[in-house]
Amino acid sequence: MTSTDQNAFDNTINDASFLQRIVELNLTDPRAQDRIIYPLSVICSIVILARICNCNDAREQRLFWLEKLPWLKES
């Protein structure tokens, strides 16, 4: 991730909880509830943050998630 990407991430992470609340209010999770590891709102929030940081495909978004997971768990 470039420094520009890191700056974009730093500038938007403060809005992550707001973003998650919007997703929770607007989406219904169609998945089997007994198989869910991560709530749909968390997945959508990560994808949105990754896209803001120019992670444009699923592979880049997965790497973004894995790289930021420890930090996101602290937030």
Side-chain angles (χ1 to χ4, degrees), residues 29-37:
D29 193 346
R31 300 175 294 166
Q33 297 300 307
D34 59 334
R35 294 184 171 187
I36 293 175
I37 297 172

Side-chain angles (χ1 to χ4, degrees), residues 9-22 45 49 52:
F9 178 79
D10 291 341
N11 289 335
T12 58
I13 197 61
N14 292 331
D15 296 330
S17 61
F18 175 72
L19 201 62
Q20 190 170 343
R21 284 192 304 265
I22 290 173
S45 297
L49 290 171
I52 290 170

Side-chain angles (χ1 to χ4, degrees), residues 3-66:
S3 63
T4 303
D5 295 338
Q6 184 63 45
N7 289 338
F9 178 79
D10 291 341
N11 289 335
T12 58
I13 197 61
N14 292 331
D15 296 330
S17 61
F18 175 72
L19 201 62
Q20 190 170 343
R21 284 192 304 265
I22 290 173
V23 171
E24 288 170 351
L25 292 172
N26 293 312
L27 291 178
T28 304
D29 193 346
R31 300 175 294 166
Q33 297 300 307
D34 59 334
R35 294 184 171 187
I36 293 175
I37 297 172
Y38 296 105
L40 187 60
S41 60
V42 170
I43 295 169
C44 291
S45 297
I46 292 299
V47 169
I48 292 168
L49 290 171
R51 290 293 308 247
I52 290 170
C53 294
N54 294 323
C55 300
N56 295 319
D57 63 27
R59 181 182 169 279
E60 290 175 340
Q61 291 166 5
R62 180 180 178 274
L63 293 173
F64 175 87
W65 167 255
L66 293 174

